[in-house]
Amino acid sequence: MSIATTTRYEPLLLRHPANPILTAKDWPYSINSVFNAGATLLEDGSTLLLCRVEDRRGLSHLCAARSRNGVDNWQIDSEPTLMPSPKDYPEEIWGIEDPRITFVPELQQYAVTYTSYSRGGPGVSLALTKDFRSFERYGVVMPPDDKDSALLPRRIDGCWALIHRPMTPLGSHMWISYSPDLRYWGRHRLMLEARRGAWWDANKIGLSPPPIETSRGWLVFYHGVRHTPSGCLYRLGLALFELENPAKCLLRGDSWIFGPEADYERHGDVDDVVFPCGYTMDPDGDGLNVYYGAADCSIALARASVRSLLAWLDANGSCERRRAQHS
Ligand code: BMA
C-alpha cells in the first residue's frame, strides 16, 4: 500500500546534533542570514558549501565555507565569493540565490546553477568554476519565472540536461531541458508534476539538491510547498527517475520524508522551512550529508543512506499509473 495513512513513519534523514551548523553569527562580515547552500566535496576531500547569504538590505549573494569534516571549523571567505553583477548581468539586480553545485567530470569543472532575481522575476543562471574563486558566467539559461535548477553531471544521449521549475498559473512543476553546449536549451519535458488538492506537494514542487546517480536511477529529493492560512510549509519528498531518460519517473513516494520539526526549522525569518540545496556522499557510496536551509535563517545538516532511501521508495513509492488514481 502506498497510501500515506498506512505508511509507517521512519526517520530517513537524521538531524546532526550540532545543528544548526552555520548561522549569521559565524560570518566574518555583517549579514542578516545564511541559508540554502549548495554543497560539494573538493579534491582534497574537504567539504565546500556555497551559501546563500542575505545582506541587511534583503539582497542575496553567495559565499563559500570550507571544512575538513563537513560539520565544524568552517573557513568562511572573508568577503562575498560571488556577488550579483547587475552591470553585465541585469537579471541579477535583486541578488542571486539558492545555488546547486554539480561536478562535471567531462569539463573538470563545477557547474553552479542559481536563481538570479530582477524586475523580470526569478530566473535560472549558470556559472562554471574550477576553484570557487573565479567563475565563468553563462548568464540566464532559463528566463523567469523559473528556479530550483541543477545540471546533471553527464550528458544524456549526447546532450547536457538541466532540471528546473518554471512557474505557471496552473501550477509549478519540475521540467527537464537539453542542450548541446550549455547555452541553447530545448527538448523541454515535464518531469514531475505537483499534485493537486490537499496533498502535501500540491500546486508547487521543485528540485532540492542535484539528483543522485544510483545503479537504479536518479534519486531525487524534491520540495513540496503547502499553502496554509498561516503561511507556507516546505517539506521534502523522494522520487526515482530512469538513468538514460530522466524525464521518466519510476517511483514517487506519497508522503513527505522530512519536514520542519526542530525549533530552528520552525521559527526564523520564514517559519516552517527545510530547504536542502546540496549533499555530499561518503566514500562508501551510501552515506549522505544533506545540507539544508532552516527557516531561511541557518544551515543545518542531516544524515541519510542511499540504500535506505531506495528501500523506502520500494516499499512506499508508486508508479505513474497507480498515482493517477489518487491525484
Ligand atoms: C522559496 C525560495 C527559497 C526559500 C523559500 C522559503 O521560494 O525562495 O529560497 O528558502 O522560498 O522562503
Side-chain angles (χ1 to χ4, degrees):
M1 278 300 260
S2 62
I3 299 172
T5 47
T6 60
T7 304
R8 194 167 344 145
Y9 173 75
E10 302 163 51
L12 286 171
L13 275 86
L14 295 176
R15 290 170 178 83
H16 196 284
N19 276 350
I21 57 166
L22 282 167
T23 71
K25 289 199 198 79
D26 299 306
W27 238 249
Y29 52 95
S30 170
I31 64 172
N32 173 55
S33 54
V34 55
F35 50 111
N36 303 0
T40 192
L41 287 179
L42 298 174
E43 228 175 328
D44 66 359
S46 60
T47 298
L48 177 138
L49 296 184
L50 191 59
C51 310
R52 171 177 175 187
V53 171
E54 192 183 280
D55 66 23
R56 294 175 64 88
R57 299 171 301 169
L59 309 188
S60 292
H61 61 265
L62 309 183
C63 186
R66 297 168 173 83
S67 154
R68 291 221 66 87
N69 64 6
V71 178
D72 52 22
N73 286 316
W74 295 94
Q75 306 297 314
I76 301 167
D77 282 359
S78 57
E79 43 191 68
T81 309
L82 190 64
M83 274 298 272
S85 195
K87 210 169 126 273
D88 298 319
Y89 299 92
E91 68 276 5
E92 299 181 357
I93 191 167
W94 290 339
I96 55 178
E97 308 177 349
D98 301 354
R100 272 74 164 187
I101 303 171
T102 304
F103 181 69
V104 183
E106 181 185 325
L107 305 174
Q108 284 298 299
Q109 296 202 72
Y110 301 91
V112 181
T113 47
Y114 54 92
T115 303
S116 44
Y117 194 22
S118 73
R119 291 187 185 96
V124 174
S125 290
L126 168 71
L128 297 185
T129 182
K130 284 189 164 60
D131 53 11
F132 294 92
R133 297 190 200 283
S134 66
F135 294 82
E136 184 192 354
R137 274 169 148 101
Y138 278 63
V140 180
V141 288
M142 290 294 158
D145 274 3
D146 207 327
K147 51 164 72 173
D148 297 327
S149 177
L151 187 73
L152 294 191
R154 61 177 174 84
R155 295 173 193 257
I156 306 288
D157 231 352
C159 280
W160 301 109
L162 188 84
I163 299 171
H164 55 110
R165 201 283 310 277
M167 306 247 281
T168 83
L170 292 183
S172 302
H173 313 293
M174 282 166 57
W175 285 70
I176 187 163
S177 303
Y178 294 89
S179 168
D181 58 3
L182 296 174
R183 289 194 186 276
Y184 296 95
W185 295 90
R187 201 142 62 78
H188 313 290
R189 297 272 184 283
L190 183 58
M191 186 177 177
L192 193 70
E193 273 182 288
R195 284 180 264 216
R196 296 166 67 95
W199 284 89
W200 71 274
D201 56 355
N203 306 318
K204 190 178 186 180
I205 60 168
L207 179 72
S208 285
I212 302 164
E213 189 166 8
T214 76
S215 57
R216 304 257 323 267
W218 299 99
L219 183 60
V220 166
F221 291 109
Y222 71 95
H223 55 268
V225 187
R226 173 120 190 227
H227 290 262
T228 80
S230 59
C232 290
L233 258 168
Y234 279 75
R235 301 186 181 112
L236 209 59
L238 205 58
L240 188 70
F241 297 84
E242 200 170 282
L243 278 181
E244 300 312 319
N245 178 17
K248 183 167 180 212
C249 183
L250 302 172
L251 287 170
R252 179 185 194 169
D254 280 345
S255 48
W256 68 86
I257 59 162
F258 191 66
E261 285 175 20
D263 193 58
Y264 53 87
E265 299 160 353
R266 298 231 45 213
H267 303 295
D269 278 3
V270 182
D271 288 353
D272 291 316
V273 179
V274 290
F275 202 92
C277 290
Y279 69 89
T280 60
M281 172 91 74
D282 290 351
D284 67 2
D286 184 59
L288 289 177
N289 292 306
V290 179
Y291 294 93
Y292 62 100
D296 284 12
C297 256
S298 64
I299 295 173
L301 168 60
R303 294 275 305 159
S305 139
V306 170
R307 218 177 304 122
S308 315
L309 294 168
L310 288 171
W312 182 86
L313 265 181
D314 280 332
N316 300 286
S318 55
C319 64
E320 200 73 45
R321 196 176 48 77
R322 279 176 59 192
R323 258 200 341 264
Q325 298 164 356
H326 296 294
S327 55

